[in-house]
Amino acid sequence: MSPTVLARPLAALALAAALPLGAGCSSAPAAPDCSATATRRDILSTVNAWYLYAPSVDYTAFDPADPTRTPDQFLQAVVDSAGQPDRGRGFSYLTTQEASAQFYVAGTSLGYGFGLRTVGASQLFVTQVLGGSPAARAGLARGDELLAIAPTAATLGDPANQVAAILAADAVTPGALGAALASGVAGTTRALRVLHPGAAAPADLTATTAVFSLDPVPGAAAPVVLDGGGGRKVGYVMLRAFVDPAVDLLRTAFGQLKAQGVTDLIVDLRYDGGGDLAVASTFLDLLHGGYAGSPKFGLRFNAQQAAGSNLDLQYRTEPNAIAATRVAFIVTGASGSASELLPFSLLPDLGADVALVGAHSLGKPVGQAGFAREGCPTLLYLLSFQLANRLGAGSYFTGLPDTAFASTGASCAADDDLAHPYGDPAEASTAAALRWITTGTCPAGPIPPTDAPAIARAARPAPVAA
């Protein structure tokens, strides 16, 4: 039996969605074969049919019966053999149907609930802490520096548990930091030695992994409205993750902004690695009111599937939509996929009135479809389509702004300023976005466009690192 699909309709297509393979079963099906060999066999046949770069794969080099590779290792070897722009970037991967539903449908995650950023080779800082998460309850906050991570408070002083040593090990064997945190294992307790900004001495905290809400649109009920001067109101909306619960929260936030007469917007996507295209579609409808019926974005599949699967979406009417005058998107190297699709889709209509603020984005102008064998827990997210705006398919694998974006849109270089909360007009990226909206100028100049070979970056939706 070929893999069948999850019950998610094509209309809710994601960078994590389901597509039919047209597979059938007998009237009295046998118990499903969920073995590693069957999974590898399904991977090979699905890649052959649906992988965006299917013709570039050397299928004769891979034997599903070979036990030397796990299914995930097998998948990576198969797609990497194509030598295409996704090589080594993890855009295709295996997960479980349960984990996918937890993230996209429930809008929850298992872990501590904080994001991390390395500075140099030996420092690790907290970028965000989700409200109500284990990290928030432990007292962790944006801007904290992690000094040590240990299984117990008594071992925080051990040399191997110092962050500098963990990062050094991670540079040699990627995954050492993840292993030190063990964030994906329920009920894992870790002792953390942190230095709060301005504190004279470190503090020792303890956090235990648990399921927590992603809170995808913080402050949706009362979104921030910044003073642009001269009576100009600038709305600020952060989207942490393109997950189902975000849709109603975005509608609520835009309803509040519309009631206050806001037409200029700062959209903060700095830690948003992407997700469900249905959320991106609604977000665009809310941003671009008055354009119902005009082209929005499209999906372009490989030559085998193009005739039956290529899709073009049009703007729809949303009661809370704003006809945005200027939109500044705050992005970093962690902003990818659906996060990049928003400014890319608006660019043909808004042109120089859409800007990227911060740094180069991830570089993922492509998306995954999800495939599962009925009765088996595994879910394959396979790179299956290219994203397109009304002018054509995107090719910004080096991130945005590339030279094509820079020829039409605007950009402002800015830091992700951990000394201030995001959305604070004193925070560097927020301040740069506000200045661009109100004056059209950038304190640090534009982000230099790059079309250099893409570097390896985190590729999966990851609103938090742990």
Side-chain angles (χ1 to χ4, degrees):
M1 184 196 306
S2 297
T4 55
V5 303
L6 296 179
R8 214 158 199 189
L10 189 59
L13 198 66
L15 307 184
L19 289 173
L21 292 185
C25 299
S26 66
S27 58
D33 183 356
C34 304
S35 67
T37 297
T39 302
R40 288 188 289 263
R41 186 168 57 246
D42 286 346
I43 287 169
L44 202 60
S45 62
T46 308
V47 167
N48 189 23
W50 287 96
Y51 179 48
L52 183 61
Y53 306 112
S56 301
V57 174
D58 178 11
Y59 298 95
T60 63
F62 301 98
D63 179 6
D66 181 356
T68 60
R69 290 190 179 106
T70 66
D72 194 59
Q73 291 170 337
F74 184 81
L75 169 64
Q76 298 309 319
V78 171
V79 297
D80 283 355
S81 73
Q84 295 297 324
D86 59 320
R87 180 180 174 86
R89 301 186 73 186
F91 288 170
S92 299
Y93 61 96
L94 295 177
T95 183
T96 66
Q97 297 184 49
E98 181 181 7
S100 179
Q102 180 187 58
F103 185 86
Y104 290 106
V105 180
T108 61
S109 184
L110 169 64
Y112 301 103
F114 64 90
L116 295 170
R117 184 174 80 202
T118 56
V119 175
S122 61
Q123 289 185 289
L124 191 63
F125 289 86
V126 176
T127 57
Q128 64 172 337
V129 177
L130 276 65
S133 67
R137 294 195 296 271
L140 211 61
R142 174 176 165 88
D144 286 348
E145 182 181 1
L146 265 64
L147 303 178
I149 303 167
T152 66
T155 58
L156 274 170
D158 290 0
N161 293 333
Q162 305 310 297
V163 161
I166 294 170
L167 291 180
D170 194 74
V172 176
T173 307
L177 175 58
L181 286 164
S183 62
V185 182
T188 300
T189 297
R190 287 291 183 265
L192 307 171
R193 181 159 289 165
V194 305
L195 183 63
H196 299 303
D204 292 346
L205 311 175
T206 300
T208 301
T209 58
V211 175
F212 59 90
S213 169
L214 295 171
D215 188 19
V217 187
V224 172
V225 177
L226 301 172
D227 181 8
R232 190 170 192 167
K233 297 178 179 179
V234 180
Y236 170 90
V237 176
M238 173 177 247
L239 181 62
R240 283 198 177 111
F242 288 78
V243 294
D244 289 0
V247 170
D248 286 340
L249 292 171
L250 286 169
R251 286 171 173 152
T252 296
F254 273 78
Q256 295 294 320
L257 295 172
K258 185 176 183 178
Q260 297 182 62
V262 169
T263 59
D264 297 309
L265 286 159
I266 297 171
V267 178
D268 198 335
L269 304 168
R270 73 182 77 195
Y271 308 129
D272 194 335
D276 196 330
L277 282 187
V279 181
S281 181
T282 299
F283 204 161
L284 285 166
D285 294 334
L286 290 164
L287 281 168
H288 211 28
Y291 280 76
S294 62
K296 185 163 40 178
F297 64 84
L299 314 182
R300 302 290 179 262
F301 291 80
N302 66 31
Q304 296 181 72
Q305 308 299 339
S309 299
N310 278 2
L311 186 66
D312 288 291
L313 283 76
Q314 295 180 328
Y315 281 98
R316 302 166 302 178
T317 299
E318 279 285 341
N320 292 342
I322 290 171
T325 305
R326 277 193 159 185
V327 186
F329 292 91
I330 297 177
V331 295
T332 67
S335 311
S337 213
S339 286
E340 295 167 309
L341 177 63
L342 296 183
F344 179 62
S345 295
L346 287 177
L347 187 65
D349 293 327
L350 292 186
D353 287 322
V354 61
L356 301 172
V357 177
H360 290 109
S361 63
L362 172 67
K364 187 171 180 285
V366 289
Q368 298 100 299
F371 303 86
R373 174 180 285 272
E374 185 177 359
C376 295
T378 300
L379 175 62
L380 164 63
Y381 278 142
L382 179 67
L383 178 66
S384 302
F385 54 87
Q386 196 157 10
L387 297 166
N389 63 18
R390 67 174 176 84
L391 299 183
S395 58
Y396 43 87
F397 285 99
T398 57
L400 291 174
D402 59 357
T403 53
F405 186 100
S407 68
T408 304
S411 72
C412 294
D415 291 332
D416 178 16
D417 173 10
L418 298 183
H420 297 90
Y422 29 73
D424 185 329
E427 190 273 322
S429 288
T430 309
L434 184 61
R435 177 167 168 178
W436 174 79
I437 284 175
T438 56
T439 70
T441 63
C442 300
I447 304 169
T450 177
D451 294 297
I455 61 172
R457 302 171 180 147
R460 306 179 187 181
V464 290

